[in-house]
Amino acid sequence: MKKQSFPAREKLRIRLLAIVPAYTAAGLAVMPLLEYILSRSAGRISEWLYLRLDVLYFFYLVIGLSVIFYHYWRKPWDYLDEVINAAQTVYEQNNAAIELSEPLREVEKQMNQIKMSILLSNQAVKEAEDRKNELVMYLAHDIRTPLTSVIGYLSLLEEEPDSPPEQRAKRVHIALDKAYRLETMIHELFEITRYNSQQITLSRETVDLCCLLVQLMDELTPVLAARGNTAVLRMDEDLTVQGDAEKLARVFGNILKNAAAYSDPQTKITVSARRAEQDVIIRFQNRGEDIPAEKLEALFDKFYRLDQARSTGTGGTGLGLAIAKEIVLLHGGSIQASSENHTVTFAIRLPGGEL
């Protein structure tokens, strides 16, 4: 690596090399003028000075150059003190910029960059900690809700052993349903953890996209019909993508379930696909309340659900879209959400073509 010269040292050297000749030349320029003035002056002092001009010029040089060299000898130590003091402020949690002397502008720039990096890093750590605490809170809330129901209905069964068979069956059914929900949540939690730690492998093959989507939409007909929604497929029959068919079905299924949960009742969910150069873009569109721009990216965060979902019980565990994103990224694709004019769109880009 090429060794770079220290800018402050170069600037000091240039200034010193410029000042010393200039100071010497100034003395030489003044000497004839002083000699002329003293020669015209009467008096013993003027005569004495006139006879000793060479000595005066010598002392002029010695004293002046000593001061100049002392000044520039002290400069590096002053700069070092500046850098040490500035280094002590690098880790301060504030936006105050570090300011150094003009020859240290490059060092000042680098130290400000380091301070900004530290501030951003600390902010990222804080946000990660806040996010972790939020996830723990959501997880505790989402697990406690079905667990409380299971415990409550099982307690009723224990306390009322002679209750009517119909009532007992109803309580058992509800407790079992909540237990299944709890099992699903824990399973999805472990699954998203495996994706994050890159423990999932893909069984790649050429997937018939049309066949996969048609089959999936048939399987999810009861889910869609719960609120009177229907799904419409618009695409060419020969579109293929490269990937794991089972995991892609999980992606499309999660998005369809999400659309069914948040669509306006009695509306259509449109699924379309088209080729874009070497890739295939699949879109899921549903009619529903617009999502604020600042919340669109958060849709793919773990345990994130829209505010109304947590208050009304709409939606699943909050892991479905996070898992979908991880699967898409594992395929080398991308997923985005957009919302405008009362229409919510999820767009997935996947590698297309034959293997």
Side-chain angles (χ1 to χ4, degrees):
M1 184 174 64
K2 183 179 179 181
K3 184 177 180 180
Q4 296 182 348
S5 60
F6 186 50
R9 182 182 65 188
E10 296 299 325
K11 291 177 181 179
L12 287 177
R13 179 185 300 170
I14 293 172
R15 289 180 180 181
L16 183 60
L17 292 176
I19 288 176
V20 170
Y23 181 80
T24 304
L28 290 174
V30 170
M31 286 300 294
L33 177 62
L34 186 60
E35 183 180 3
Y36 174 78
I37 294 173
L38 292 175
S39 66
R40 294 289 183 178
S41 301
R44 298 180 62 181
I45 295 177
S46 299
E47 183 181 353
W48 186 87
L49 291 174
Y50 178 78
L51 295 174
R52 291 166 177 79
L53 282 177
D54 291 342
V55 176
L56 292 176
Y57 181 67
F58 172 77
F59 280 106
Y60 165 83
L61 291 178
V62 170
I63 296 172
L65 293 179
S66 296
V67 172
I68 292 172
F69 279 103
Y70 177 78
H71 172 77
Y72 281 95
W73 177 80
R74 285 292 309 168
K75 272 293 183 181
W77 301 104
D78 294 338
Y79 291 156
L80 180 59
D81 290 338
E82 280 192 65
V83 173
I84 292 174
N85 293 332
Q88 295 173 351
T89 67
V90 166
Y91 293 95
E92 292 181 358
Q93 297 299 304
N94 57 54
N95 294 324
I98 296 172
E99 295 183 0
L100 300 177
S101 299
E102 190 276 331
L104 299 175
R105 287 292 182 253
E106 186 63 29
V107 178
E108 174 189 296
K109 179 181 177 181
Q110 293 176 7
M111 294 186 77
N112 279 317
Q113 289 176 345
I114 293 173
K115 182 172 184 178
M116 184 58 64
S117 298
I118 293 173
L119 288 175
L120 293 176
S121 177
N122 290 339
Q123 182 180 355
V125 169
K126 183 180 183 301
E127 290 177 353
E129 183 67 20
D130 292 343
R131 184 60 182 155
K132 183 196 73 174
N133 294 335
E134 184 182 5
L135 293 181
V136 171
M137 180 185 68
Y138 283 165
L139 180 60
H141 172 272
D142 287 351
I143 287 181
R144 183 176 58 188
T145 301
L147 186 59
T148 301
S149 297
V150 171
I151 294 174
Y153 282 105
L154 290 180
S155 298
L156 288 175
L157 290 172
E158 183 180 38
E159 294 170 2
E160 301 176 8
D162 298 328
S163 58
E166 295 81 5
Q167 191 178 51
R168 290 175 60 84
K170 180 180 179 180
R171 291 172 177 174
V172 168
H173 174 75
I174 295 175
L176 185 60
D177 181 66
K178 299 298 181 181
Y180 283 145
R181 175 176 171 77
L182 187 59
E183 180 186 39
T184 299
M185 182 180 300
I186 294 174
H187 174 73
E188 290 191 341
L189 176 61
F190 279 113
E191 187 173 8
I192 192 65
T193 303
R194 291 175 63 200
Y195 278 111
N196 291 154
S197 59
Q198 302 296 315
Q199 296 180 6
I200 297 291
T201 57
L202 299 178
S203 300
R204 289 186 179 273
E205 58 181 330
T206 300
V207 179
D208 186 331
L209 192 58
C210 182
C211 180
L212 178 63
L213 287 171
V214 168
Q215 181 179 350
L216 185 64
M217 290 163 64
D218 287 341
E219 293 174 359
L220 293 179
T221 297
V223 176
L224 299 172
R227 302 178 68 232
N229 299 114
T230 57
V232 178
L233 181 62
R234 295 173 180 170
M235 61 175 294
D236 295 333
E237 295 183 0
D238 60 347
L239 278 181
T240 59
V241 294
Q242 298 177 12
D244 189 312
E246 181 181 351
K247 291 180 175 59
L248 288 178
R250 179 71 178 279
V251 172
F252 302 148
N254 286 354
I255 295 177
L256 272 175
K257 291 175 184 176
N258 183 80
Y262 292 99
S263 291
D264 292 338
Q266 311 297 325
T267 59
K268 292 182 179 180
I269 299 171
T270 302
V271 182
S272 61
R274 64 178 179 84
R275 187 171 300 282
E277 297 180 352
Q278 300 301 317
D279 298 334
V280 173
I281 299 178
I282 307 101
R283 284 190 171 86
F284 296 80
Q285 291 184 312
N286 66 272
R287 299 288 295 172
E289 184 177 345
D290 287 331
I291 303 173
E294 65 274 11
K295 294 186 177 181
L296 287 173
E297 283 298 322
L299 291 176
F300 302 102
D301 290 345
K302 293 186 288 292
F303 294 105
Y304 181 85
R305 293 208 301 269
L306 293 175
D307 296 338
Q308 65 268 28
R310 291 198 175 277
S311 61
T312 64
T314 304
T317 62
L319 289 170
L321 293 180
I323 291 174
K325 180 180 179 179
E326 293 297 332
I327 294 175
V328 170
L329 292 178
L330 200 60
H331 279 80
S334 62
I335 182 171
Q336 292 180 325
S338 59
S339 177
E340 60 181 357
N341 299 326
H342 209 68
T343 300
V344 180
T345 303
F346 285 86
I348 302 171
R349 179 183 288 267
L350 292 171
E354 300 289 338
L355 285 173

